Amino acid sequence: MDTVRFLTAGDCAVTVELGDGISVAVNRRIRALSLALEKSPIPGVVETVPTYRSLMVHYDPGVISCPALEKALRGLIGGLDRTVLPPSDVLEIPVLYGGEEGPDLAFVAEHCGKTPDEVIALHSAPEYLIYMLGFTPGFTYLGGMDESIAAPRLKTPRVKIPAGSVGIAGSQTGVYPLDSPGGWQLIGRTPVRMYAPERERPILPEAGQYIKFCPIDRAEYDRIAAEEAAGAYVCKRHPRKEGAE
């Protein structure tokens, strides 16, 4: 409890900081608090937003005051060690690396002293924890990338990056869910729509899940893109092995 901080965010939200750094352990506590709120709802709480090291709790001040909310949250936090998290699943995201879809793959390879194939192998090997979503709807902030393929951001950001582009910035990697500006090094693109407003659940990934990038060729990319356009593609997923890090 000593590491917990409550920070007001306007007049109808409070940020609950559960740690000082980006780590799997802190993320588990954030997920545990979110789950505890689902199982034991606090009257007046309307939404929660997980981040790297905190959970923002939006509330209706007409129903509950900030001091009362903090007291109730402290009660839940005191029992987090007894909260059992459900197993996370792994989204398999197909990626066509290099070429027009990954115009910066060659730069990343040269910068890291590797071949493009080595970069692809290292990038597609981990199961990446989704720490949080942000920047644009469904943009994934992932943890677990191999530090040997870290690369700097572009000196001049691109005005428009195509939806589905997979990029690297520093030791982070992520997927642009829709056309937007950005300064990450682009190494590939997925035909999977991470954000589709017409779906029942518009945003595909969720914080606390994992992503596994799976290299594909042009033919497979075009096939999946056609299925996505017809609303028929279902992203593969599988349970994450217990104890895997």
Side-chain angles (χ1 to χ4, degrees):
M1 189 72 74
D2 292 340
T3 61
V4 178
R5 290 206 309 160
F6 291 83
L7 306 172
T8 56
D11 58 359
C12 56
V14 60
T15 296
V16 187
E17 287 191 351
L18 297 178
D20 293 327
I22 300 172
S23 73
V24 174
V26 171
N27 181 260
R28 283 175 176 161
R29 288 177 59 77
I30 293 168
R31 290 170 57 201
L33 178 56
S34 181
L35 180 61
L37 276 168
E38 289 179 17
K39 291 185 174 181
S40 301
I42 297 174
V45 171
V46 296
E47 184 183 13
T48 59
V49 182
T51 70
Y52 274 121
R53 61 177 187 168
S54 66
L55 186 72
M56 177 174 280
V57 181
H58 294 265
Y59 66 95
D60 183 347
V63 177
I64 189 171
S65 67
C66 188
L69 175 61
E70 180 178 331
K71 181 179 179 180
L73 288 169
R74 285 188 181 276
L76 292 179
I77 292 169
L80 291 187
D81 292 340
R82 299 187 296 274
T83 302
V84 178
L85 293 175
S88 298
D89 59 359
V90 181
L91 295 175
E92 298 181 11
I93 303 298
V95 178
L96 177 58
Y97 287 94
E100 294 182 2
E101 284 68 30
D104 302 320
L105 177 60
F107 168 81
V108 172
E110 182 178 1
H111 175 79
C112 300
K114 302 186 182 301
T115 67
D117 285 344
E118 288 173 333
V119 172
I120 294 170
L122 289 166
H123 185 264
S124 60
E127 292 179 345
Y128 295 95
L129 173 62
I130 303 174
Y131 278 100
M132 60 180 284
L133 304 176
F135 170 52
T136 55
F139 188 95
T140 53
Y141 287 88
L142 307 176
M145 191 183 80
D146 193 310
E147 291 282 349
S148 70
I149 56 172
R153 284 176 166 83
L154 297 175
K155 292 182 179 179
T156 302
R158 291 180 171 95
V159 174
K160 181 178 179 181
I161 289 177
S165 294
V166 178
I168 289 176
S171 58
Q172 290 185 303
T173 186
V175 184
Y176 286 85
L178 68 165
D179 294 351
S180 66
W184 292 31
Q185 303 283 352
L186 306 182
I187 62 171
R189 192 185 308 167
T190 178
V192 174
R193 292 187 299 168
M194 308 296 276
Y195 172 72
E198 75 279 4
R199 288 193 304 235
E200 183 177 351
R201 296 183 61 179
I203 297 175
L204 177 63
E206 298 178 16
Q209 288 180 323
Y210 286 77
I211 278 180
K212 178 74 165 64
F213 294 115
C214 304
I216 57 174
D217 60 19
R218 168 58 68 182
E220 184 72 357
Y221 181 97
D222 291 342
R223 182 190 68 79
I224 294 173
E227 289 187 13
E228 274 283 15
Y233 184 75
V234 177
C235 191
K236 295 179 181 178
R237 62 183 70 210
H238 64 267
R240 182 166 166 80
K241 292 182 180 179
E242 182 128 4
E245 293 296 344

